[in-house]
Amino acid sequence: MKRNLTLFVILIGVLCVSIAQADPIVPKLNIDVEAANGPQDVSVSLQILIVLTLLSLAPAMLIMLTSFTRIVIVLAFTRSALGTQQVPPNTVLIGLALFLTFFTMAPVWNQVNQTALKPYLDKQITFDQAIDRGSDPVRDFMFSQVREKDLALFVKLGHINRPRTEADIPTYVLIPAFLISELRTAFSIGFLIFIPFLIIDMVIAVTLMSMGMMMLPPVMISLPFKILLFVLVDGWHLIIKSLALSFG
């Protein structure tokens, strides 16, 4: 595996050098499917498949360990409460959630960089030590947001002895407990966001019924009022501020 990674790095270096030349050389790559000459070839193929699978799942795994879950759910609740269907579009919501995640997680990433990544790149610590040091800030962030009730649930389901300290709790137990806590917090914030818009819908519906205009959909009348209220109170500012402070 290390040899394959080394060859891959060398190939990337050749490509970069060829592009920088006056007359760039375009290499030809051939991908063939051939019969394995022995168990070693099969093992290497399986290792490559596992590495590619982990690389494809790595972004999702990293996102689930950050503040992205809470932020994107709250933004989705906000759009649903407004009743604007696809405005803002999904691309805008996901992009905003990602940048807010980068902002809220910046102290954690800086700590990981200082304690794990830089020493490892400077060959001051081993890879295993870098993993241990890098996971500590992420675990501390998850511990600051997780509920004890959710944590106790997965400790019980995992048939683990009652931990005395946070270090005794495995990461595979902490992650699902953290996700459940994030979902609960996000839904609680979403409920509070829905209340004022629900009141507007009820007032408009009662007003139309009292005027005998039962055939007119209340959504057509309430939507402009909800947008106007949201703009007047500077809704996006308040929601983003509340999200950022909720991780403090």
Side-chain angles (χ1 to χ4, degrees):
M1 178 60 67
K2 292 183 178 180
R3 183 180 300 176
N4 292 333
L5 292 176
T6 304
L7 292 176
F8 178 75
V9 173
I10 294 175
L11 178 59
I12 296 298
V14 172
L15 289 174
C16 295
V17 172
S18 63
I19 293 175
Q21 293 176 350
D23 297 326
I25 301 174
V26 180
K28 180 181 178 180
L29 299 178
N30 293 324
I31 300 177
D32 297 329
V33 178
E34 300 178 353
N37 295 325
Q40 184 177 0
D41 293 341
V42 178
S43 177
V44 172
S45 301
L46 291 177
Q47 291 176 6
I48 295 176
L49 178 61
I50 293 174
V51 169
L52 293 177
T53 303
L54 292 177
L55 289 177
S56 63
L57 295 177
M61 295 174 63
L62 290 176
I63 286 174
M64 300 303 285
L65 302 181
T66 62
S67 57
F68 179 83
T69 302
R70 182 189 306 183
I71 294 173
V72 73
I73 291 177
V74 171
L75 294 179
F77 267 120
T78 303
R79 185 176 65 181
S80 299
L82 284 171
T84 53
Q85 302 299 327
Q86 296 298 322
V87 179
N90 291 329
T91 306
V92 176
L93 287 185
I94 297 298
L96 179 59
L98 284 175
F99 281 107
L100 289 176
T101 302
F102 297 153
F103 176 79
T104 55
M105 296 297 296
V108 178
W109 300 139
N110 289 335
Q111 191 174 355
V112 172
N113 184 39
Q114 294 294 332
T115 60
L117 184 58
K118 282 187 176 180
Y120 175 70
L121 294 178
D122 294 337
K123 299 182 179 180
Q124 298 176 358
I125 59 176
T126 62
F127 180 76
D128 293 336
Q129 291 175 335
I131 293 296
D132 293 336
R133 292 187 182 183
S135 61
D136 288 340
V138 180
R139 283 172 55 90
D140 292 339
F141 169 78
M142 290 191 288
F143 274 119
S144 65
Q145 304 300 326
V146 71
R147 296 192 307 164
E148 293 184 3
K149 181 179 180 180
D150 297 328
L151 201 56
L153 171 64
F154 284 95
V155 169
K156 181 179 179 180
L157 294 177
H159 303 289
I160 300 174
N161 296 329
R162 185 173 182 177
R164 297 181 179 179
T165 61
E166 294 180 351
D168 297 334
I169 300 177
T171 303
Y172 73 88
V173 172
L174 176 60
I175 292 176
F178 168 74
L179 289 176
I180 290 181
S181 299
E182 287 293 284
L183 288 174
R184 182 186 182 278
T185 304
F187 272 70
S188 300
I189 298 175
F191 172 76
L192 296 177
I193 293 174
F194 257 97
I195 291 178
F197 299 109
L198 180 61
I199 294 175
I200 293 178
D201 288 333
M202 294 175 61
V203 171
I204 295 297
V206 171
T207 303
L208 291 177
M209 290 182 63
S210 63
M211 297 176 60
M213 305 174 65
M214 292 179 292
M215 299 300 295
L216 182 63
V219 178
M220 296 182 59
I221 307 299
S222 63
L223 180 58
F225 286 98
K226 289 191 290 186
I227 295 176
L228 178 62
L229 173 65
F230 194 73
V231 172
L232 290 178
V233 300
D234 201 359
W236 289 115
H237 174 83
L238 295 176
I239 290 174
I240 300 305
K241 179 181 177 180
S242 300
L243 281 173
L245 294 177
S246 66
F247 294 101

